[in-house]
Amino acid sequence: MKVGKLNVLIAELIEAGFVVNSKGIVETKLGRSSYLVEVGDTRRTAAFETDYENSLRHYADMFDEGRYSLMLYDGALVSVKYIMEHDAITWHRYSYVPPVVSLDVGNGEGLGELPPAADYLRTPRRTMLRFEYDPASFAPRHPYSHLHLNGADCRMPVSGSLGLKDFLFFLIDCFYPAFIEPLAALKPSANSSSHISVDDTKRSYIKVPL
């Protein structure tokens, strides 16, 4: 998705009330016909370490340091980064980090409304999702396209790369069904190119369009 269309898409998400905060878009030219697009700062948090990813502290650090692309109305954080060559996605990393508890960020709620650390043991923990497409790193148990669940070592095969609309519709369809009708234009088309190895088709995998 080119930057102009991305700006329009984000504006639609904000108008629908799904997104309440959006970071700036940075486009970096990589070659004659390829460029990297990142919304906001999606780098790792200052205290990042493998074992703390997806922890409640990880969410709080991302929120506090602004390491995300979009903030949803309930405090969930979405990160968007991808590479385009001509009009095709050649690499992407999209992530969804649920809030510790549902926040009304549109009315100013933030980290101050999170439960104290002593209550975290009683707070339901919802996993973050990270969809990655990285053909250059393909290897056994490292599919071209995959979904990380609960940690870096879990990679569920996905049949192809996801456009940004595919990813957003997945979130809406799974976690925010009230927005399916207002954001119906996000629903992916029936056409999608497959990029999955024969070995990975023998495992449980996600087929796109989702």
Side-chain angles (χ1 to χ4, degrees):
M1 179 177 291
K2 295 184 178 180
V3 171
K5 290 184 177 180
L6 179 54
N7 272 315
V8 171
L9 172 60
I10 292 173
E12 291 173 351
L13 297 172
I14 292 173
E15 184 178 358
F18 186 58
V19 168
V20 296
N21 185 14
S22 171
K23 303 291 188 177
I25 301 172
V26 179
E27 182 181 49
T28 305
K29 192 169 181 61
L30 301 178
R32 187 172 183 179
S33 57
S34 63
Y35 53 93
L36 171 71
V37 175
E38 181 176 20
V39 182
D41 182 356
T42 66
R43 292 177 301 166
R44 292 175 170 178
T45 56
F48 185 89
E49 55 187 53
T50 302
D51 291 342
Y52 114 127
E53 185 177 24
N54 195 39
S55 68
L56 303 177
R57 178 186 166 205
H58 185 209
Y59 167 83
D61 286 349
M62 289 181 68
F63 191 113
D64 189 44
E65 296 174 23
R67 299 291 175 88
Y68 59 87
S69 303
L70 309 172
M71 181 180 289
L72 306 190
Y73 71 95
D74 64 348
L77 306 177
V78 170
S79 294
V80 173
K81 191 174 184 179
Y82 57 90
I83 294 175
M84 294 284 294
E85 185 162 357
H86 299 294
D87 290 325
I89 291 176
T90 58
W91 176 93
H92 68 60
R93 180 184 294 128
Y94 309 131
S95 68
Y96 168 75
V97 184
V100 176
V101 293
S102 184
L103 302 173
D104 187 357
V105 292
N107 285 319
E109 290 188 357
L111 292 181
E113 281 65 46
L114 293 181
D119 288 351
Y120 279 3
L121 291 177
R122 299 190 298 273
T123 303
R125 183 182 177 196
R126 292 183 287 164
T127 185
M128 68 176 289
L129 307 175
R130 187 168 74 246
F131 283 94
E132 294 187 352
Y133 177 60
D134 188 5
S137 298
F138 171 73
R141 308 293 297 185
H142 194 294
Y144 297 101
S145 186
H146 53 269
L147 168 63
H148 286 279
L149 288 172
N150 287 322
D153 292 333
C154 176
R155 298 182 181 92
M156 179 176 291
V158 179
S159 68
S161 63
L162 277 73
L164 183 53
K165 286 187 175 183
D166 296 294
F167 168 65
L168 292 169
F169 184 79
F170 177 86
L171 299 183
I172 291 168
D173 187 53
C174 291
F175 309 119
Y176 304 98
F179 285 90
I180 290 177
E181 185 174 343
L183 293 171
L186 290 178
K187 189 170 184 179
S189 67
N191 298 317
S192 178
S193 58
S194 179
H195 198 172
I196 188 168
S197 71
V198 173
D199 287 341
D200 286 326
T201 61
K202 297 175 182 177
R203 302 170 56 198
S204 296
Y205 70 96
I206 297 174
K207 184 179 182 299
V208 291
L210 301 167

